[in-house]
Amino acid sequence: MAGSGLSIPGVTDKYGTNDLVESLMEVERIPLKREQATLETYQNQQSAWQEVNRKMSSLRESVKSLYSFENPFNSKLTSSSDENAITADANRDADFGTIKIDVIHPAAADRFMSGSISNDTDVPQGRYTFTVGEKTVDFNWKGGKLSDFVTALNKRGGNTIKASLIGISSKKKALIIESLIPGADNKLQFKNDALSFAKSIEMIADVPVEKTEFSSSLSEYKSAATKDLKSQQGMPSISKDNVRIQDGTITVLPRGGVEIPIPESVQGDRTQQIIFTFAEQETKDITEEINEGANGPKLPDAGGITFEGIFVNNNPSDSTVQTPDAAQQKATQLKPISDDRMLFVKTKDGIEFAVDLDEFEPDAETGVRTVRINMEDYEGAVAVVVRNSNTAKTLTVSVPEATNEADALGYAPLNPIATASDAEFKYEGITLTRSTNDIDDVIPNVTLHLHDATEKTATLKIEPDVDAAKEALITFVGQYNQVIAEINILSQTKPDIINELEYLTDAEVEKANERLGMFQGDMSLTSGKSSLQRIITGSYRYSEDATVTMLSQLGISSNASGGTGGYNASQLRGYLEINEKTLDSFLANNLSEIKDLFGYDSDGDLIIDNGIGYLLDKQLSAWVQTGGILSNKISSLNTRIESSNKKISQLETQLEQKEAELKNKYATMQGTLNSLESQQTSISNWANSGNNNNR
């Protein structure tokens, strides 16, 4: 398409034909310019709807967060009076309140140091195996420098073990190998060539195995107390009379039980482990015999005599004991007892802790379990209690013996920096142990993190996260006002609408002025604004005793500042204000009510179906969802823009053809004029030449 400098190639503009063609083309371009203006209008309108969509989508996300499961009103904050010793995390379902905890000591992992080693020490070739609890680090070492061995071990150790070297002097080092898993059951053990190497560098040393045997004399045992879950009159009490001891084996018949005293040398020694075998066998139920005896005495047969080949029965014996009738028999029938709680540890306070037998796998062939009870798990333990409350089961238990846990390994660390132990702490006056320092099974929905021992009882507080709730409400109000501002700008032509938005930058003000009144006649905007305002100002009674039923009660309304001069123009346009003092007061005292205000279940089906947040979300979804109001408007403009672009392309093609046609036409015309002019010149020259000759 030619511009104002239009020219016809090969032709001089002697007669002003270029200007003439340009003038004619300006007239031809009028439809194109008109269509280009239309296209720009469509594009501006589409951009405006897209901006409305963006702001409404942001508002929708904000209101969804106010009533969804992740709403900020359920967020919890935890604080500790001794953060160096204990901290906690509370999830959204945790109860508000205070927790008193005494940390006796956190869980620790084994950390062993070698003796002094020369800098040039080599680690011999071999298979090096380390275990921590159920995890194993095993690799073949080709032999080499100690520093290279440390690198190889760390490469394979992962989250199980770690090795490091420290310099003792300019020529000496020490090797530290540590477990990365705390807990008494996660002891660092050396196997294969790792065992011999650890001994050679004086990290560990052999120790003799020493065992403490428990008494095998029944006379030194006490009868276990009867503790049936449901008492039955006539059921024998638990008694050591139903217990036998022979060749180091304790047999506990049905309804038998004993307290096996723990030797004083073992009591209070946290390093001791009590070991014994335990088996159970089904036997004839004793209730059958007891119930038969309860139906009355069994008298011997009266007998008879034989006389001349004829047997004559004697009369039955008479008894003064009356045989109970059927109703009485049914009332006195004992029911069999089956109770899996058969093993306990008793403390000096008389408290019994049940031992879970399922923790000890039975032998596949014999069914015998090897039970190991760590003394550090039961503070103040004084006896092992075997109580067979069952009526059809016999227990077989070996006489217990105790051994030091290090003795059980056959070696002990020579330079332990730390030894594996469970965390020990008190909650509600009860001493508890765990193998980890991150404990989530004591207080519902709260995870405790133990760091160090407490000097005095630590207080943990679980409180609502008021700041998060306040921030969410401020964000909601800000995004709501942006939506209202955008609707006002697009649907009205008053410049004051833009001037009162003091937060806009100069560039944003310029763009806002371009959009001012763009959709003045579009009723969907004014209708949408009215719907939003109706939801915001509505009343929501989520329960019969609801106290916070309107957003304005929180200090959030179009006149929250409480001005005495009546509503100003800005307030009449629907913007929300926040009275921060009022809001802070309600957040501090009515957080759960505020949560219900934004979303609650009105019909008891456990699904939120009412509230400010829910209704705003539903209203905004109609605008921003796929196939919604804005999607249809943007899609409609897309169709118009495509049609306009196509029309512009056609007009541009037509203009190029028209311009070429005019150029050709006027080039021909100018060529003809030039030819005539040349002929005229030739004639004039010829005439002048003739006149000169006549002279």
Side-chain angles (χ1 to χ4, degrees):
M1 184 171 60
S4 58
L6 181 148
S7 62
I8 302 174
V11 179
T12 59
D13 194 20
K14 183 177 180 179
Y15 300 102
T17 52
N18 288 338
D19 292 338
L20 182 59
V21 170
E22 177 62 23
S23 298
L24 292 173
M25 287 303 301
E26 270 309 308
V27 176
E28 296 291 335
R29 291 190 192 103
I30 291 175
L32 174 62
K33 291 181 177 179
R34 186 184 300 119
E35 192 60 37
Q36 287 173 331
T38 300
L39 174 62
E40 184 177 2
T41 298
Y42 291 157
Q43 290 173 332
N44 289 338
Q45 289 177 346
Q46 187 181 61
S47 177
W49 286 125
Q50 288 171 339
E51 182 66 11
V52 172
N53 185 74
R54 184 185 69 80
K55 291 183 176 179
M56 283 190 170
S57 295
S58 295
L59 175 59
R60 185 191 177 201
E61 290 301 315
S62 178
V63 299
K64 283 181 69 175
S65 70
L66 290 174
Y67 78 90
S68 68
F69 175 77
E70 297 291 333
N71 73 79
F73 309 112
N74 281 340
S75 297
K76 307 293 193 303
L77 287 177
T78 60
S79 60
S80 171
S81 62
D82 190 351
E83 293 189 350
N84 292 325
I86 181 170
T87 55
D89 293 324
N91 69 24
R92 304 175 66 83
D93 295 324
D95 293 330
F96 297 128
T98 58
I99 302 166
K100 303 289 187 179
I101 298 285
D102 292 283
V103 181
I104 300 171
H105 60 80
D110 279 332
R111 192 179 186 201
F112 302 154
M113 185 173 70
S114 72
S116 182
I117 310 173
S118 298
N119 288 344
D120 57 356
T121 297
D122 282 346
V123 180
Q125 177 183 355
R127 180 181 178 185
Y128 287 78
T129 306
F130 305 85
T131 64
V132 178
E134 297 180 352
K135 294 190 175 182
T136 299
V137 177
D138 180 86
F139 66 100
N140 291 316
W141 171 248
K142 63 182 179 179
K145 295 180 180 179
L146 181 60
S147 58
D148 293 336
F149 176 80
V150 169
T151 301
L153 180 55
N154 287 336
K155 183 178 180 180
R156 295 167 174 81
N159 296 323
T160 303
I161 60 173
K162 176 185 176 183
S164 58
L165 289 170
I166 60 172
I168 297 177
S169 66
S170 60
K171 296 182 180 180
K172 298 288 185 178
K173 293 181 179 178
L175 173 64
I176 296 176
I177 299 180
E178 59 184 298
S179 162
L180 300 178
I181 307 173
D185 292 335
N186 298 313
K187 295 188 177 300
L188 173 61
Q189 298 184 39
F190 304 85
K191 297 181 179 179
N192 299 323
D193 292 300
L195 179 60
S196 58
F197 176 65
K199 291 178 181 179
S200 72
I201 60 175
E202 298 180 344
M203 180 173 284
I204 59 176
D206 291 326
V207 294
V209 177
E210 297 181 358
K211 296 182 179 179
T212 303
E213 294 186 354
F214 286 38
S215 173
S216 59
S217 173
L218 189 59
S219 63
E220 296 185 22
Y221 295 178
K222 294 180 180 179
S223 291
T226 303
K227 293 187 177 181
D228 292 332
L229 295 176
K230 186 176 181 180
S231 63
Q232 299 184 64
Q233 186 176 1
M235 179 65 70
S237 298
I238 303 296
S239 172
K240 74 175 185 178
D241 293 340
N242 296 322
V243 179
R244 310 284 183 267
I245 299 181
Q246 185 177 3
D247 298 330
T249 299
I250 305 170
T251 302
V252 184
L253 302 173
R255 304 301 290 174
V258 289
E259 293 183 7
I260 306 172
I262 298 174
E264 291 185 2
S265 61
V266 176
Q267 295 180 23
D269 187 346
R270 297 172 57 84
T271 67
Q272 293 289 317
Q273 185 179 73
I274 300 172
I275 305 173
F276 55 90
T277 60
F278 186 98
E280 50 190 285
Q281 181 181 4
E282 298 295 330
T283 57
K284 182 179 179 181
D285 199 311
I286 63 172
T287 58
E288 296 178 9
E289 183 176 348
I290 297 173
N291 287 333
E292 287 179 3
N295 294 334
K298 287 190 174 181
L299 301 177
D301 194 302
I305 61 172
T306 302
F307 178 71
E308 295 182 356
I310 300 174
F311 183 79
V312 180
N313 287 316
N314 291 329
N315 289 329
S317 301
D318 291 331
S319 173
T320 58
V321 179
Q322 294 182 351
T323 302
D325 58 24
Q328 289 175 322
Q329 291 182 24
K330 184 176 181 180
T332 58
Q333 291 287 303
L334 293 176
K335 296 180 180 179
I337 296 176
S338 178
D339 191 347
D340 291 334
R341 302 175 310 142
M342 297 173 282
L343 187 61
F344 305 83
V345 175
K346 184 176 181 179
T347 69
K348 59 186 177 182
D349 298 326
I351 300 173
E352 290 186 1
F353 294 94
V355 177
D356 186 0
L357 288 168
D358 289 337
E359 292 184 3
F360 311 102
E361 289 292 330
D363 183 89
E365 295 182 2
T366 64
V368 176
R369 305 174 191 263
T370 298
V371 179
R372 299 178 184 273
I373 297 175
N374 296 319
M375 288 296 291
E376 69 173 352
D377 294 338
Y378 301 95
E379 184 179 10
V382 295
V384 174
V385 179
V386 181
R387 179 183 291 109
N388 188 8
S389 300
N390 300 281
T391 56
K393 188 177 292 186
T394 296
L395 309 180
T396 304
V397 183
S398 65
V399 174
E401 60 183 18
T403 180
N404 185 283
E405 294 180 33
D407 294 345
L409 296 175
Y411 61 82
L414 291 174
N415 306 293
I417 300 173
T419 56
S421 61
D422 288 341
E424 188 173 357
F425 58 100
K426 285 187 177 181
Y427 171 63
E428 299 291 347
I430 302 173
T431 301
L432 304 172
T433 60
R434 293 294 186 274
S435 62
T436 176
N437 288 319
D438 301 312
I439 304 162
D440 60 3
D441 61 351
V442 173
I443 304 165
N445 305 305
V446 176
T447 300
L448 303 175
H449 304 289
L450 310 187
H451 310 297
D452 204 349
T454 52
E455 295 183 0
K456 59 181 181 179
T457 302
T459 300
L460 300 174
K461 289 185 178 180
I462 301 177
E463 302 171 301
D465 191 350
V466 174
D467 289 341
K470 182 177 180 180
E471 182 65 28
L473 289 172
I474 291 174
T475 299
F476 156 67
V477 170
Q479 292 178 341
Y480 176 85
N481 284 343
Q482 286 188 18
V483 170
I484 296 300
E486 194 65 23
I487 293 175
N488 289 338
I489 291 170
L490 293 173
S491 61
Q492 301 180 44
T493 57
K494 299 175 183 178
D496 290 345
I497 292 174
I498 299 174
N499 296 334
E500 66 195 17
L501 302 177
E502 298 177 355
Y503 56 84
L504 296 180
T505 64
D506 292 342
E508 289 172 335
V509 168
E510 183 179 350
K511 290 184 178 180
N513 279 312
E514 293 173 359
R515 301 195 303 274
L516 188 64
M518 181 178 288
F519 302 128
Q520 185 177 7
D522 193 316
M523 295 302 297
S524 65
L525 284 174
T526 53
S527 174
K529 176 183 174 181
S530 297
S531 297
L532 295 178
Q533 289 179 309
R534 193 161 46 248
I535 295 171
I536 287 293
T537 58
S539 177
Y540 303 89
R541 185 160 293 279
Y542 43 84
S543 66
E544 294 182 359
D545 56 350
T547 57
V548 181
T549 59
M550 298 183 69
L551 193 62
S552 58
Q553 290 178 261
L554 308 181
I556 301 176
S557 68
S558 58
N559 189 31
S561 58
T564 57
Y567 284 92
N568 56 39
S570 175
Q571 292 169 345
L572 291 174
R573 292 193 229 283
Y575 301 123
L576 294 176
E577 298 176 345
I578 298 177
N579 185 318
E580 194 167 355
K581 184 177 180 180
T582 303
L583 179 60
D584 287 343
S585 175
F586 273 85
L587 286 172
N589 302 296
N590 304 87
L591 203 59
S592 61
E593 288 88 345
I594 296 174
K595 177 179 73 71
D596 292 335
L597 180 64
F598 279 91
Y600 63 95
D601 170 24
S602 64
D603 55 12
D605 62 355
L606 303 180
I607 299 175
I608 292 176
D609 55 17
N610 209 334
I612 295 174
Y614 172 81
L615 294 177
L616 283 176
D617 179 21
K618 187 176 180 181
Q619 175 66 24
L620 292 166
S621 294
W623 283 79
V624 303
Q625 68 185 356
T626 302
I629 296 172
L630 293 175
S631 177
N632 289 333
K633 289 181 179 294
I634 293 171
S635 176
S636 175
L637 285 168
N638 268 336
T639 302
R640 295 181 184 181
I641 288 172
E642 289 175 2
S643 176
S644 184
N645 276 323
K646 185 176 180 180
K647 188 173 182 179
I648 288 172
S649 180
Q650 292 173 342
L651 289 172
E652 287 178 339
T653 300
Q654 292 173 2
L655 286 173
E656 289 174 359
Q657 293 174 347
K658 185 66 175 179
E659 185 176 351
E661 179 184 336
L662 289 174
K663 284 181 179 181
N664 184 58
K665 177 180 178 180
Y666 283 99
T668 301
M669 179 193 72
Q670 186 160 334
T672 301
L673 291 174
N674 287 338
S675 176
L676 291 173
E677 184 178 359
S678 177
Q679 291 177 9
Q680 182 180 2
T681 301
S682 298
I683 293 172
S684 297
N685 290 337
W686 178 78
N688 291 334
S689 175
N691 291 334
N692 290 333
N693 290 332
N694 290 330
R695 290 178 186 173

